[in-house]
Amino acid sequence: MITAVVYSESGGTFKTTTTANLAVSLERMGFDVCVIDLDPQEGNLTSLFDVGEHRSDPDADNFVKHILEMPDGDFEDLIETSSEGVDVIPSHDMLGDFTSNLEQKIAYETGMKNMSKEEFPRFELLYDLLWNEQQLHKQYDAVLIDPNARAEDLLYNAIYAMRTLVAPVKPAGKGNLSLDGLEELVTNMSNYLDIEVGLSCVVPSGVGQTNAHQQYSKQFQDTDEYATPVAIPARESLMDTMWEARGSAYKVIEERWKTFEKDGEMVSEPGQRRIRDRELETARDIYELAAFIATETFDAEIDPTLTLDIDGYDTRTFEVCDDAEREVTA
């Protein structure tokens, strides 16, 4: 089974769009996919996939209530399906108060069971919910988590449950993860949680043509410490339009979504986007990234063919080959 947390300590690394694109890629490869949104902020995976109607309703049943063992309904009722076939467990405002609610649970249960606070399995709650109670491994081939960025209980629960990280990184700039920083992150997580945490790969994202960007990207690609199967070029228009299309980069391309000025206002509509070779190449790169994670990290069998059925254009087909060579046919 494919399980991963898409995580970066830095902001602006395209963490959420990477999670969405990976999820849809895996679905196109033939997997049953579920993504879990653990980021309480607006503009997250829930918004991108256009789900989570009750995310701001304090009385609604939500994922946090299930993690903390105080559900108001069936777990299956939390799951929504996006327009691209990916199942989503949406974010909820209660995620922002997860730690305070967890502390209340710990105080109550340790008092009732005459145990110390340190003995309470605070990082194992999500693991128990997903795999022991709900047994998602019997329903899905892949589960991905888009976590909150802060190093706190919710993030630790996600990593404890998934055990594998995919790390998007900025190509340059203050606060970015370095090679040493990545090694330290994985080591610290493993030691703190007392489990083995694996790093599937590093994904330089938003890579421009400047020397600084190219050198930073090359630094990761040249190291033997971590796999860097692809570097995602700077495609601001494509990635930004995902939020307007409410879906993956594939949806933007296939339905030809474009944001533009109309009658003095900025609007986004399908059927307007020009098809550019560089954006098709980026779609291929995203698919290749998902293929690497599936096959190299988890030894899964995949459908190596990416087919883009573009509105008003010929179908484009890409092959992800075992030797990393890529072909495209019209």
Side-chain angles (χ1 to χ4, degrees):
M1 185 182 187
I2 299 166
T3 59
V5 177
V6 181
Y7 177 68
S8 172
E9 291 181 315
S10 301
T13 58
F14 303 97
K15 174 175 68 72
T16 296
T17 52
T18 297
T19 306
N21 286 329
L22 285 176
V24 176
S25 296
L26 293 170
E27 194 279 334
R28 286 175 175 244
M29 290 174 184
F31 297 113
D32 291 325
V33 182
C34 179
V35 292
I36 303 172
D37 187 355
L38 292 185
D39 191 343
Q41 297 183 8
E42 294 288 344
N44 55 12
L45 193 69
T46 297
S47 301
L48 193 150
F49 275 132
D50 198 23
V51 296
E53 178 183 355
H54 304 292
R55 65 174 299 164
S56 299
D57 182 356
D59 298 323
D61 192 26
N62 63 77
F63 195 51
V64 175
K65 292 183 178 182
H66 285 259
I67 299 174
L68 298 179
E69 300 178 299
M70 53 179 191
D72 286 336
D74 293 334
F75 183 87
E76 292 77 11
D77 293 337
L78 299 177
I79 302 172
E80 301 182 45
T81 303
S82 76
S83 63
E84 295 178 88
V86 172
D87 279 359
V88 184
I89 299 179
S91 172
H92 189 272
D93 290 351
M94 195 174 177
L95 287 166
D97 299 319
F98 179 81
T99 295
S100 61
N101 284 302
L102 175 59
E103 291 292 351
Q104 293 180 35
K105 176 181 175 66
I106 293 173
Y108 175 77
E109 294 202 7
T110 53
M112 292 292 292
K113 299 177 181 178
N114 194 27
M115 62 190 296
S116 70
K117 183 177 179 180
E118 289 71 26
E119 291 177 290
F120 186 88
R122 66 186 303 145
F123 303 136
E124 300 174 26
L125 300 177
L126 181 57
Y127 180 99
D128 288 338
L129 172 65
L130 298 181
W131 312 129
N132 295 334
E133 182 180 338
Q134 298 300 325
Q135 299 190 345
L136 290 194
H137 52 284
K138 295 183 178 180
Q139 304 174 48
Y140 296 103
D141 305 306
V143 176
L144 305 179
I145 291 182
D146 184 22
N148 58 319
R150 290 182 296 177
E152 57 185 14
D153 290 297
L154 202 54
L155 173 64
Y156 296 139
N157 265 267
I159 294 174
Y160 191 95
M162 298 291 108
R163 308 295 171 100
T164 302
L165 299 178
V166 173
V169 294
K170 291 180 179 179
K174 182 180 178 181
N176 290 329
L177 292 174
S178 65
L179 292 174
D180 292 339
L182 276 172
E183 183 176 2
E184 183 180 2
L185 170 68
V186 174
T187 300
N188 288 347
M189 288 291 184
S190 299
N191 292 338
Y192 189 60
L193 298 175
D194 196 24
I195 58 173
E196 183 177 351
V197 178
L199 179 61
S200 169
C201 58
V202 175
V203 190
S205 302
V207 180
Q209 296 300 315
T210 66
N211 288 335
H213 278 215
Q214 294 297 316
Q215 290 174 7
Y216 189 84
S217 179
K218 189 173 186 298
Q219 177 188 14
F220 281 100
Q221 292 174 325
D222 287 348
T223 183
D224 293 329
E225 297 295 325
Y226 312 109
T228 307
V230 300
I232 306 298
R235 296 284 181 260
E236 288 87 353
S237 175
L238 177 62
M239 299 305 174
D240 288 348
T241 306
M242 287 174 58
W243 298 94
E244 307 300 332
R246 292 292 189 262
S248 70
Y250 304 126
K251 183 176 181 179
V252 172
I253 292 172
E254 289 184 321
E255 297 183 5
R256 298 174 51 217
W257 280 84
K258 182 180 180 181
T259 301
F260 58 98
E261 185 175 350
K262 181 178 181 181
D263 298 330
E265 297 182 356
M266 296 303 295
V267 299
S268 295
E269 296 178 356
Q272 303 291 330
R273 192 176 199 86
R274 293 176 54 195
I275 299 304
R276 297 175 172 86
D277 287 343
R278 61 179 180 270
E279 292 187 344
L280 296 178
E281 292 169 359
T282 299
R284 174 202 62 195
D285 290 339
I286 293 168
Y287 199 78
E288 183 170 308
L289 172 63
F292 174 88
I293 295 169
T295 60
E296 297 298 324
T297 304
F298 292 97
D299 198 28
E301 295 184 2
I302 67 168
D303 180 352
T305 304
L306 168 63
T307 300
L308 296 175
D309 188 8
I310 304 171
D311 180 36
Y313 284 74
D314 292 334
T315 297
R316 303 296 179 90
T317 302
F318 299 85
E319 292 289 335
V320 179
C321 305
D322 291 338
D323 60 2
E325 293 181 0
R326 299 169 296 190
E327 301 174 358
V328 57
T329 59

